[in-house]
Amino acid sequence: MEGDENVRSTDESPLSGDIANAGCAALRPSEECLLKKLEEVNSQLEQDSRGPRTYLARTSGGSDNGTSTATTPPSSSPAAPASPQQIRRNSSDPVGTTRFGRAPKDPVREWSAAIKDWDVVHRKRFRQIIDLTVKGIPTGLRGMVWTLLVSTARTSAEAKRSTDGVHDDTPKEAYPVLMERDSPHEKLIVRDIARTYPGNAFFQDGVGQETLLRVIKAYANYDIEVGYCQGSPFIVGALLLHVPEEDAFDLFVTMMREYKLRGLFRPSMADLPLRLFQFNQLFSQIFPELYAHFEDISVPVSSFASQWFLSMFGTVLPLEAVFRILDLFLLDTGSPTGNFGMLVIFRVGLAILGGNYDYLLMANFESIMAFMSPKDLAQRYENSVDDLIKASCKYNSTVTAKRLMKAEKDYELQKEAESREQSEITRLRTENAALLQANKTALGKIAELETENSALAENLTEKCAALAEARALIADLSEADAVSNSLKSRRGTEDILQCDVTDLAGT
């Protein structure tokens, strides 16, 4: 059947921007309408070569992250969460066959059938969507499936709240105005865009970079509180390679709102410490020996995992891996179990650690940091993206929302303890500052008293000297007075004797 052949070819041929628009417009139409859209999409695939999707297979200079070839350490087989020994042991692919043992079907046909009857499949056979997504969404249908998944998430959220209280228009309606407004972050955005997927042909020319600039700037104008945060261009860039820019903006807004990304991108990055705490706890519980080694050589989780959360591995893994991670990430809100979304980032991170367990356990600080660099990780997984995704899926039953919630409670308790400790430290510092001020005041008074005492001492010395002089003068006067009295006494005696002599002479 000609239509089936066209659909099958979409797995190998990229979509153009106009074609992706047609796919996105086909949300919840009638079966006949959707089939017509799919046929239109596939009939134009061979003719279109200008949309950003055509760049998916045309990268230059190494990986999509702009890395070149590099020597990477040997790795063990993908990890299973039970124990380090089991993690390093090869195991069969849990999702490589169909659920009931039937022969594998063509993925494009399966996805086309799911898209055709999306409401029913999503509501009643969501497990089928999960299984298909784990295997990978065909490139030609990825933008359409992403839009359907996010549309489902948005519909579910809008049932709970009618408006965000800030914007009356939908993001897609507001986009033309928002992208034209000036942004205080524009200079920083332009600088970072030049470093976004530099090895991908779409972002090597002005068209791709300008498109990415418009979407990022529009979001900075749309969400004033968040503004711009480094890392977001890697997520938006991956979206732009599958959908037109207004749809990429619409998808990104919903991801920020409904998929718990917004807390990571606020100026305070309030959720990043929480995510790192949760990952640190999972790391220590699942790989205790490797975790202890990292602790011994002072390699904190924050030194390599921060960029995983902020860019959804866009800074360190090949683009194909980023696409596959987004495939699983966007399953979250539509999933009855809420078992995807942010959980996928944790699982992929653990798969990287587990898949290279033996090497990392023996590596020193410099070797580990080099291994975690974009250059080495991108090269390591350039040809083993599927293995990485399958390895991450082995943690589905280990890394659960319940486990992360428990870690979040532990984080809150730790923050409360730290807050109390900080409050006590603040109180003691305040008291210490007051005591230091009182001591300073007392020292000032002592200095004043010492100055007064010095002046009094000097005055006393002067008075003592004057008193000594006075006493010496008094002593001199007393001596003179004694001499004078002695003379007077002698004169009196002489006068008496003279009188006696006179009397004798008279007789």
Side-chain angles (χ1 to χ4, degrees), residues 4 6 9 39 55 58 65 70 109 111 116 133 140 142 146 161 178 287 316 326 376 384 413 433:
D4 290 339
N6 287 337
S9 69
E39 289 175 1
Y55 291 93
R58 293 196 287 119
N65 305 62
R109 286 192 176 188
W111 272 112
K116 168 188 165 184
T133 304
R142 181 170 273 129
W146 283 356
R161 53 172 173 76
L178 293 169
F287 303 115
V316 294
L326 276 168
D376 282 16
S384 56
L413 290 173

Side-chain angles (χ1 to χ4, degrees), residues 133-145:
T133 304
V134 169
K135 296 173 187 176
I137 302 173
T139 299
L141 299 177
R142 181 170 273 129
M144 190 185 300
V145 174

Side-chain angles (χ1 to χ4, degrees), residues 157-353:
E158 287 172 353
K160 299 176 182 177
R161 53 172 173 76
S162 58
T163 178
D164 62 4
V166 178
H167 300 281
D168 295 328
D169 296 334
T170 65
K172 199 169 181 178
E173 292 170 341
Y175 178 71
V177 175
L178 293 169
M179 74 176 187
E180 295 294 339
R181 289 182 188 168
D182 292 333
S183 169
H185 309 284
E186 189 161 349
K187 188 176 292 186
L188 181 59
I189 295 172
V190 170
R191 187 194 71 183
D192 288 345
I193 280 176
R195 300 181 294 196
T196 302
Y197 300 126
N200 183 272
F202 180 60
F203 296 109
Q204 289 176 343
D205 59 29
V207 176
Q209 292 189 5
E210 288 171 8
T211 304
L212 182 56
L213 170 62
R214 287 194 295 270
V215 178
I216 296 296
K217 188 172 70 169
Y219 188 84
N221 291 326
Y222 178 84
D223 191 339
I224 303 299
E225 182 188 357
V226 170
Y228 169 69
C229 181
Q230 292 175 310
S232 58
F234 287 91
I235 300 174
V236 175
L239 298 176
L240 282 172
L241 289 169
H242 290 89
V243 297
E245 60 185 274
E246 61 272 15
D247 291 324
F249 176 72
D250 190 47
L251 291 176
F252 187 62
V253 168
T254 305
M255 289 172 68
M256 293 287 277
R257 282 182 180 177
E258 314 303 341
Y259 289 82
K260 301 179 181 178
L261 283 181
R262 194 169 180 271
L264 290 172
F265 291 101
R266 286 177 178 170
S268 63
M269 291 185 175
D271 283 1
L272 184 58
L274 167 61
R275 300 308 180 194
L276 293 174
F277 178 89
Q278 290 170 320
F279 189 85
N280 198 65
Q281 192 172 95
L282 289 169
F283 184 15
S284 65
Q285 293 170 354
I286 296 174
F287 303 115
E289 188 178 358
L290 183 59
Y291 176 80
H293 175 59
F294 274 44
E295 288 281 293
D296 289 342
I297 61 175
S298 301
V299 179
V301 163
S302 59
S303 65
F304 56 86
S306 296
Q307 59 186 333
W308 295 355
F309 288 99
L310 293 175
S311 70
M312 212 167 291
F313 293 95
T315 58
V316 294
L317 290 179
L319 252 175
E320 179 59 29
V322 179
F323 298 153
R324 296 288 298 278
I325 290 168
L326 276 168
D327 292 347
L328 294 171
F329 183 88
L330 294 175
L331 282 172
D332 184 55
T333 305
S335 169
T337 58
N339 200 32
F340 295 94
M342 194 61 64
L343 295 173
V344 175
I345 308 299
F346 292 95
R347 292 166 184 162
V348 173
L350 290 170
I352 291 173
L353 294 173

Side-chain angles (χ1 to χ4, degrees), residues 62-68 72 313-319 371-385:
S63 75
D64 297 312
N65 305 62
T67 60
S68 58
T72 56
F313 293 95
T315 58
V316 294
L317 290 179
L319 252 175
F371 174 83
M372 294 296 182
S373 69
K375 179 179 178 181
D376 282 16
L377 266 186
Q379 181 67 21
R380 164 67 178 84
Y381 289 102
E382 185 67 36
N383 300 311
S384 56
V385 170

Side-chain angles (χ1 to χ4, degrees), residues 115-141:
I115 292 170
K116 168 188 165 184
D117 201 16
W118 181 260
D119 283 337
V120 173
V121 174
H122 186 274
R123 187 174 63 256
K124 296 184 178 180
R125 301 197 301 273
F126 190 76
R127 181 69 212 183
Q128 178 185 350
I129 295 177
I130 294 175
D131 290 344
L132 289 173
T133 304
V134 169
K135 296 173 187 176
I137 302 173
T139 299
L141 299 177

